[in-house]
Every structure is written in C-alpha cells, then in structure tokens.
Amino acid sequence: MSLVIHETFLYIIAALLKERYFNTLHEIFTSSYAIQSDGISRNSSLIDFSCFFGHSDSLQSVLKPEVNLYSPSAELMKISANRADIPFQELLQAEILIQLMSFVRQVRWFPSLIFYAECEEPLPFFIKAAQHKNFSKLAIITGINDVVSLRQQIEPLINRLNTSRELFFGASFDQLINLDKLDSMK
C-alpha cells in the first residue's frame, strides 16, 4: 500500500508543478499530516510529508530476479509510467523537487527514481530557475527567497547524497537541480 501512496504523491507533485501551483506545493511540503498508527484506533500523530514515501523490496523477485535492482519500487514506477500527460521524466523531476524540499525541511526522503536519471543534464524546471523570474517560483515552493541561503542550507546534505549515489552513477543531485546556475540570470 505504501508504494501506491508514494507513486500517487509523485504524480500529484508532478501535476502541480506542471500546472504551476507553486503556493500549493509549498503548502504540501510545509504541512503536517494525521496518520493513524494502527489503522483501527483513533490515535493519530502528525507527521511531515515523509509519510508519503514507500518502497517494496519484495518486488525484486517479481520484476527482475536475475538483476539486483537499486530500487525495485522505482523500477515498477518506471515500467508503469505510461501517461501521456505526465511522462516519467516529470515524475523524476517531481521526486528531485521532493528531495530538495526534504533537505530544506530536514525531512527523511530518498529519491529512488534518481537511479533512472539518464544524463547529467539539469531537469527542465531547474534549468529555467537559472533565470531570476523562474527562480522566484522555486523560492515560493521552498520558502527561501535567495539562492545563497538555499545553497548554504542544502549543500552539506547534497554532498552526502552525491557520495552515496556516485557509487552507482555519474549524475549528481546538484547537477540535476542546476545548483551552480540557480538565479544567475536576469
């Protein structure tokens, strides 16, 4: 069930990003969610958006038993990403935005789709954010209005993620979000 919730969350974030609902994205990333711990009782606790993360290692034996997948859940999402209105690349971009917000909000998240980033090129939303008017859209989402503050907050966490990711692939998180060029053009 958690994998279905994760995939649904990715599609929601991708759709909101595509339709330019930046304030709504900010609200999603800064809200708390009531989660019932046992599904039966009325006891619930408030938690951040990490409650939408899910995975399933048991998919390994079903999807590709002969290959050791980095993330069986991500593999299933990639296989099933066949929507014309939200292609897989937009799901990847959504997950990278979620990871960025996990750094900003100090929330636990692991971007399992990052293993399917096919090149070292920045993702489209972040390419556009090199221009100040488009960086302001990212600033609405993050709640951080200047790029220097954003970099200072996330660079140590990006370095840790890049170290673990480089064991598998060449593209780094800072390249995918165009970190060096954010808000560098008028």
Side-chain angles (χ1 to χ4, degrees), residues 57-69:
D57 292 332
S58 63
L59 289 170
Q60 173 69 51
S61 62
V62 175
L63 294 174
K64 291 187 178 177
E66 70 285 352
V67 177
N68 189 18
L69 298 171

Side-chain angles (χ1 to χ4, degrees), residues 114-164:
I114 198 170
F115 296 114
Y116 294 95
E118 295 180 4
C119 62
E120 296 180 16
E121 293 297 314
L123 295 162
F125 178 75
F126 298 101
I127 291 172
K128 292 175 186 173
Q131 195 173 22
H132 180 74
K133 71 178 184 178
N134 291 312
F135 177 79
S136 65
K137 297 168 186 171
L138 180 60
I140 291 169
I141 298 169
T142 63
I144 301 173
N145 293 322
D146 69 284
V147 72
V148 173
S149 296
L150 179 64
R151 282 189 187 119
Q152 287 174 341
Q153 187 166 347
I154 66 173
E155 278 182 333
L157 300 166
I158 288 175
N159 290 336
R160 193 168 30 172
L161 178 65
N162 284 344
T163 301
S164 64

Side-chain angles (χ1 to χ4, degrees), residues 6-7 20 31 68 79 82 86-87 100 104 115 119 132 134 136 140 149 160 165 168 170 173 180-181 186:
H6 182 163
E7 186 173 19
R20 306 166 53 105
S31 293
N68 189 18
I79 290 168
N82 56 6
I86 302 177
L100 174 64
V104 169
F115 296 114
C119 62
H132 180 74
N134 291 312
S136 65
I140 291 169
S149 296
R160 193 168 30 172
R165 187 168 187 283
F168 310 110
F173 188 81
D180 291 338
K181 295 181 182 168
K186 291 293 174 198

Side-chain angles (χ1 to χ4, degrees), residues 65-83:
E66 70 285 352
V67 177
N68 189 18
L69 298 171
Y70 296 115
S71 172
S73 301
E75 179 72 19
L76 180 62
M77 285 188 260
K78 185 172 187 339
I79 290 168
S80 62
N82 56 6
R83 296 178 54 112

Side-chain angles (χ1 to χ4, degrees), residues 12-108:
I12 289 168
I13 298 302
L16 291 170
L17 188 59
K18 184 175 190 168
E19 296 300 320
R20 306 166 53 105
Y21 285 96
F22 307 120
N23 287 316
T24 303
L25 286 164
H26 177 78
E27 192 65 30
I28 287 170
F29 290 125
T30 58
S31 293
S32 296
Y33 301 91
I35 304 298
Q36 289 184 341
S37 58
D38 61 10
I40 298 169
S41 71
R42 298 195 189 276
N43 296 332
S44 62
S45 59
L46 293 176
I47 190 169
D48 52 52
F49 64 87
S50 66
C51 65
F52 301 118
F53 182 80
H55 71 283
S56 173
D57 292 332
S58 63
L59 289 170
Q60 173 69 51
S61 62
V62 175
L63 294 174
K64 291 187 178 177
E66 70 285 352
V67 177
N68 189 18
L69 298 171
Y70 296 115
S71 172
S73 301
E75 179 72 19
L76 180 62
M77 285 188 260
K78 185 172 187 339
I79 290 168
S80 62
N82 56 6
R83 296 178 54 112
D85 58 340
I86 302 177
F88 179 76
Q89 187 72 2
E90 290 181 22
L91 281 183
L92 172 62
Q93 182 169 257
E95 182 138 72
I96 296 305
L97 177 62
I98 294 166
Q99 181 63 53
L100 174 64
M101 287 306 298
S102 78
F103 291 153
V104 169
R105 303 288 302 166
Q106 298 180 354
V107 170
R108 186 180 174 109

